[in-house]
Amino acid sequence: MRESYRVGLYTLGCKVAQYETEAVCEAFEKMGFIRTDFEDVCDVYVINTCTVTAESNRKCRQMIRRAIKRNPDALVMVMGCYSQTTPKDILKIEGVSYVSGTADKLLLPKRAAELLEKRGKGEKALPVCEVSPLENAVFEDMRIEKTERTRAYVKIEDGCDCRCTYCAIPNARGPVRSKPMPDILEEIKALSEKGTKEIVLTGIEIASYGKDLGKVRLIDLLEEIERAGIAERIRLGSITPEILTEDFILRLKNISCLAPHLHISMQSGSDTILRAMKRRYNVKMAERSLSLLRTHIPDIMFTCDMIAGFPGETEENHNETASFMKRAEFLNAHVFTYSKRDNTPAAYYDGQLEESVKHERCLALTALQKEITDGILKRLTEEKKEMSAILETLDGNMITGHTASFVEIKAECTEDLRGQMRPVLPISHENGVLFCKIL
């Protein structure tokens, strides 16, 4: 295979998918492919798909067609959650060369080389589909070895056993599989030694980390990272309230490298809706956990996910969610409308709401969250308390970053401080951003 083939990669979806795309990209580079921008004319396009909503599916098809249009002679390779659940939809798109799912992603460079070799010999091959069943899937041994960012993701777990009634992800990802602890520690250590300031532990359901490894659990992993002293800062990906027991929190507070920020996959603030979703917690349990965390971990902030317009959601249920959000004081909330997913129980529930109603409730919760965020930033501005921030993106004389509590900050900057962790002092706030002075 010649060494001048160009590959462009595009990711739709979550942090797990972003990590996997980076790992696949490194595998391509090791085989001699040249990484280039997805918007360029490439010899190979790789689209890592998402299926969390119907809109996600639409965007996946759009990006596939965009790649085919940009270079009709290119190999167009599709992997990820959407292609795992409905590969036939992908194969219907004329111009797709290869379809895989959420397993064996690291095979893509090898398959690309094989298909390019066949083309070089004048062979015209039909689209190849290699979507593996996930019932007995194992954790794919992947890692990233380099990053140009100050923050890097490390995937510690795949799959989910929760079977929430609205979610298609268990069908796309299979059962829980955990990365062995020694492999995680080795990957974190290597990234930190290359200058990464913050490691984000991510997975499909990281609260379930270790359930397939015996007695190891997420808190054990965090304590081992702390003992090893291999990370300047660790941040957790999305977790659910049921893991936040008093014992967990009392152990968590001793993890000095842990960023004081948690993203809570809440989904609703109504017990009625949480039961219909088959979530494993209720509002009282969540509020108790948030209160305990605020007691034991100073300056901790929370972000969350919320679904608006779940089947059967009444105006009262919607108002319960709004009331909970006010009490919880989330720094930010990712609010999205309920989307029917094939082969999920909620898609067949009575009480499906009109799109206009779902959209209206989504807008209302988003507006409410903006008020809550503004209130938090106003308080931080008035307190004038020094905070630690990682500085990330430079635009002219303004640099953007995030505090340990994941508050987005901007500051005037006369030199390139990207990648540095510096103390900052709040000055003002606007549009969800805290303007600071670098100390």
Side-chain angles (χ1 to χ4, degrees), residues 92-334:
K92 288 176 184 176
I93 302 174
E94 188 175 351
V96 169
S97 311
Y98 180 85
V99 179
S100 67
T102 54
D104 303 321
K105 289 184 171 72
L106 294 178
L107 282 178
L108 263 73
K110 181 181 178 182
R111 295 293 184 260
E114 292 168 351
L115 291 170
L116 289 167
E117 185 177 359
K118 286 182 178 180
R119 286 192 177 188
K121 294 177 180 177
E123 299 178 30
K124 186 173 177 63
L126 293 172
V128 176
C129 183
E130 291 186 325
V131 176
S132 304
L134 299 175
E135 289 82 3
N136 299 310
V138 297
F139 190 92
E140 186 172 5
D141 184 18
M142 62 169 56
R143 62 179 294 171
I144 57 172
E145 297 179 357
K146 58 183 179 180
T147 178
E148 296 178 358
R149 300 185 181 92
T150 54
R151 180 182 297 112
Y153 302 126
V154 171
K155 177 182 166 185
I156 65 170
E157 177 274 343
D158 205 343
C160 181
D161 298 332
C162 291
R163 294 288 170 182
C164 300
T165 59
Y166 58 86
C167 187
I169 298 306
N171 296 329
R173 287 283 176 171
V176 169
R177 294 95 74 197
S178 304
K179 189 170 191 170
M181 192 184 296
D183 294 349
I184 296 171
L185 298 176
E186 182 182 330
E187 186 171 5
I188 291 173
K189 184 173 184 290
L191 289 168
S192 296
E193 287 174 347
K194 291 174 182 175
T196 302
K197 298 292 184 184
E198 181 176 291
I199 304 291
V200 183
L201 302 182
T202 189
I204 300 302
E205 175 61 44
I206 66 168
S208 296
Y209 175 80
K211 67 180 291 186
D212 57 325
L213 297 179
K215 295 182 178 180
V216 175
R217 291 294 181 267
L218 178 61
I219 191 64
D220 301 311
L221 171 63
L222 293 171
E223 288 175 340
E224 195 57 42
I225 293 169
E226 174 79 2
R227 277 192 291 269
I230 53 176
E232 192 161 354
R233 180 183 292 169
I234 289 287
R235 193 178 298 276
L236 294 180
S238 179
I239 61 172
T240 45
E242 72 269 18
I243 194 178
L244 298 171
T245 63
E246 185 170 8
D247 176 68
F248 183 94
I249 292 168
L250 291 176
R251 293 171 69 181
L252 193 69
K253 73 174 186 177
N254 295 318
I255 312 296
S256 63
C257 63
L258 181 74
H261 160 253
L262 292 176
H263 183 81
I264 312 295
S265 181
M266 192 69 204
Q267 311 304 1
S268 177
S270 164
D271 283 341
T272 300
I273 299 303
L274 290 172
R275 284 193 296 271
M277 291 176 168
K278 290 202 172 174
R279 301 296 276 179
R280 300 177 179 183
Y281 52 86
N282 55 36
V283 171
K284 184 178 180 181
M285 185 189 301
E287 290 191 314
R288 181 173 182 273
S289 296
L290 299 185
S291 177
L292 275 171
L293 284 161
R294 285 185 165 121
T295 297
H296 292 291
I297 303 178
D299 302 321
I300 193 167
M301 295 277 187
F302 305 104
T303 52
C304 72
D305 297 316
M306 288 291 177
I307 297 175
F310 187 80
E313 182 186 75
T314 64
E315 188 70 27
E316 181 183 0
N317 300 147
H318 167 72
N319 290 336
E320 287 170 346
T321 294
S323 178
F324 168 73
M325 289 172 65
K326 290 177 185 176
R327 297 193 305 273
E329 278 197 299
F330 293 109
L331 173 65
N332 275 305
H334 175 211

Side-chain angles (χ1 to χ4, degrees), residues 367-385:
L368 170 62
Q369 181 58 54
K370 184 179 183 304
E371 292 178 12
I372 296 168
T373 301
D374 286 344
I376 293 171
L377 298 186
K378 181 176 184 291
R379 184 177 73 237
L380 293 174
T381 301
E382 291 171 349
E383 288 175 351
K384 289 284 190 292
K385 184 178 178 180

